[in-house]
Amino acid sequence: MLAKLDQIEQDALEALAPLTTEEQLEAWRVANLGRSSPLMVVFTHLGQLSKEERPAIGRRANEVKGELEAALNAKNEVLQSDALQRALETERLDVTLPGRELPVGRLHIVTQTLREIARVFGDMGFQIYRSRDVEYDEYNFQLLNFPPNHPARDMQDSFYIEGSVDPDNPILLRTHTSPGQIHAMREITAQYPHDPPPIRIILPGMCYRYEQISARSEVQFTQVEGLAVGHSITFSDLKGTLSDFARRMFGQSVRSRFRASHFPFTEPSAEMDIECFVCGGEGCSVCKQTGWLELLGCGMVHPTVLLNGGYDPHKYTGYAFGMGPERAALLRHRIEDIRYFWSNDLRFLEQF
Ligand SMILES: [Zn+2]
């Protein structure tokens, strides 16, 4: 019996040594000191032993019990101090560490460019007029002198809205900001039908064209349109205003030039170039060796468009222009691919 107690002690201590968690310790306690453990069975059967045997076995059994309990307590303490040590090491508060940096947002490069354009024209007395993104064909094309089947429409393939009620006047995402010209003129001439006041506005906004996406064209892009209507506005006003804009936007020494062009809603029409600010007009890859960068399209408002806006073309004249902030940003920062603007890549966006 004494040998059996020795064995119980040895087995229990061997089983205890490798344990590492509180759950394991509890299971060990139940198995070795619990009511049905081999040691406790010895205690239960003490009464059946002879008078001679009983004291020695009882003493030894108590000894083993005391040793197992002491071993359990010691093991428990070791586990707890290990856990504390680990916590101290891993959760140590290092007050010298720099704080976590808060991500600071910023305006999109196109918004920045748009605001700069708006600021320059704002200084020249233009107001901002916001117009809708979803338009009737009538406003997007017809009233701007693009009749149905006009070839110039081919340059502006469109996203049409399904379920448009009138097949002759479908609903589409605007392909340019120009429909805003009609809205703005009509808003003013509705209030002052007999003697409408002059207009000087810029119309910024997103435009949409159903185009092949490439490094040079996207299906959505922003545009800034400008419109000035009044008495005796001439082409020299247009040239003066836009040349001044180019100087304020790109630098006082920048030169500009106008080339004849065609748009249905202006007559005469022109494209405006500025001298390449990368090479200073010498010719480089950005300006394709021409020394000039195409900046915007412009022209005198077509009499039909004035009339559609409610202004009498015999009494009023005006000019209009349109440009793309993406294009201005492309040129300025030598960005090679227009798709970066809307691909939401922070590596690109964070540079501006
Ligand atoms: Zn150049």
Side-chain angles (χ1 to χ4, degrees):
M1 186 54 92
L2 282 172
K4 189 182 172 191
L5 281 169
D6 288 346
Q7 189 63 46
I8 289 173
E9 182 184 21
Q10 193 188 337
D11 289 349
L13 292 177
E14 273 173 17
L16 182 64
L19 304 187
T20 53
T21 68
E22 280 185 33
E23 290 77 21
Q24 288 171 337
L25 282 193
E26 177 57 15
W28 182 90
R29 191 191 63 75
V30 170
N32 293 283
L33 292 164
R35 199 172 297 163
S36 47
S37 62
L39 181 61
M40 290 306 144
V41 171
V42 172
F43 278 106
T44 345
H45 294 131
L46 269 183
Q48 295 162 10
L49 297 173
S50 66
K51 265 189 185 167
E52 294 73 31
E53 273 183 311
R54 211 183 294 160
I57 302 293
R59 200 179 317 118
R60 178 68 186 133
N62 270 321
E63 226 174 76
V64 172
K65 181 166 180 264
E67 270 175 42
L68 293 190
E69 282 170 351
L72 176 65
N73 286 338
K75 182 78 179 176
N76 209 1
E77 267 173 35
V78 168
L79 281 193
Q80 281 180 1
S81 83
D82 278 359
L84 183 63
Q85 193 59 36
R86 263 200 308 281
L88 281 175
E89 275 166 18
T90 56
E91 295 162 23
R92 185 183 296 153
L93 180 65
D94 183 351
V95 292
T96 66
L97 277 176
R100 286 199 188 91
E101 205 177 324
L102 284 178
V104 180
R106 69 190 78 193
L107 292 175
H108 191 279
I109 171 70
V110 169
T111 308
Q112 292 178 34
T113 313
L114 257 176
R115 290 194 178 182
E116 210 177 331
I117 294 171
R119 179 185 56 75
V120 171
F121 281 109
D123 288 348
M124 293 194 272
F126 284 75
Q127 289 178 297
I128 291 179
Y129 184 89
R130 294 201 180 277
S131 186
R132 61 188 72 162
D133 284 34
V134 182
E135 272 298 352
Y136 284 107
D137 184 279
E138 183 187 12
Y139 280 85
N140 194 77
F141 290 123
Q142 297 168 33
L143 293 171
L144 292 165
N145 215 18
F146 291 77
N149 306 317
H150 190 286
R153 285 187 178 214
D154 290 347
M155 288 162 59
Q156 302 189 10
D157 277 339
S158 314
F159 289 108
Y160 287 94
I161 307 293
E162 268 181 33
S164 298
V165 180
D166 181 355
D168 293 330
N169 189 19
I171 298 168
L172 69 159
L173 296 179
R174 66 176 172 193
T175 57
H176 48 183
T177 44
S178 310
Q181 292 188 18
I182 302 288
H183 287 297
M185 285 191 283
R186 287 192 169 179
E187 207 174 294
I188 289 170
T189 52
Q191 284 180 58
Y192 309 96
H194 301 298
D195 188 18
I199 295 179
R200 256 188 298 182
I201 51 170
I202 58 168
L203 309 101
M206 192 66 84
C207 306
Y208 313 84
R209 289 187 196 176
Y210 184 59
E211 282 184 358
Q212 182 78 40
I213 297 174
S214 71
R216 291 279 131 196
S217 61
E218 257 280 14
V219 291
Q220 70 175 77
F221 54 93
T222 42
Q223 226 179 33
V224 182
E225 183 109 358
L227 175 70
V229 178
H231 294 290
S232 56
I233 287 181
T234 66
F235 199 88
S236 23
D237 294 314
L238 165 66
K239 283 182 78 171
T241 306
L242 291 180
S243 303
D244 195 29
F245 161 74
R247 283 192 295 271
R248 292 183 189 215
M249 186 85 187
F250 297 99
Q252 283 302 316
S253 58
V254 77
R255 293 192 301 156
S256 47
R257 72 174 185 188
F258 290 78
R259 289 177 288 116
S261 185
H262 170 78
F263 304 108
F265 43 104
T266 47
E267 182 59 38
S269 305
E271 304 252 7
M272 180 188 173
D273 301 333
I274 56 169
E275 198 174 48
C276 178
F277 42 73
V278 177
C279 62
E282 306 252 307
C284 69
S285 62
V286 176
C287 59
K288 299 194 187 89
Q289 310 304 331
T290 62
W292 295 94
L293 299 169
E294 202 179 303
L295 184 65
L296 53 83
C298 57
M300 299 304 289
V301 182
H302 196 285
T304 307
V305 176
L306 281 176
L307 197 61
N308 290 338
Y311 280 87
D312 180 351
H314 298 292
K315 294 184 190 160
Y316 293 85
T317 50
Y319 62 79
F321 55 86
M323 70 187 90
E326 281 99 334
R327 186 166 169 69
L330 277 174
L331 294 174
R332 211 172 198 186
H333 301 287
R334 300 222 233 162
I335 299 164
E336 283 162 1
D337 196 321
I338 201 167
R339 289 170 290 195
Y340 286 130
F341 287 110
W342 308 113
S343 57
N344 286 337
D345 188 337
L346 286 180
R347 290 169 301 177
F348 170 76
L349 297 173
E350 280 176 351
Q351 294 178 44
F352 305 102

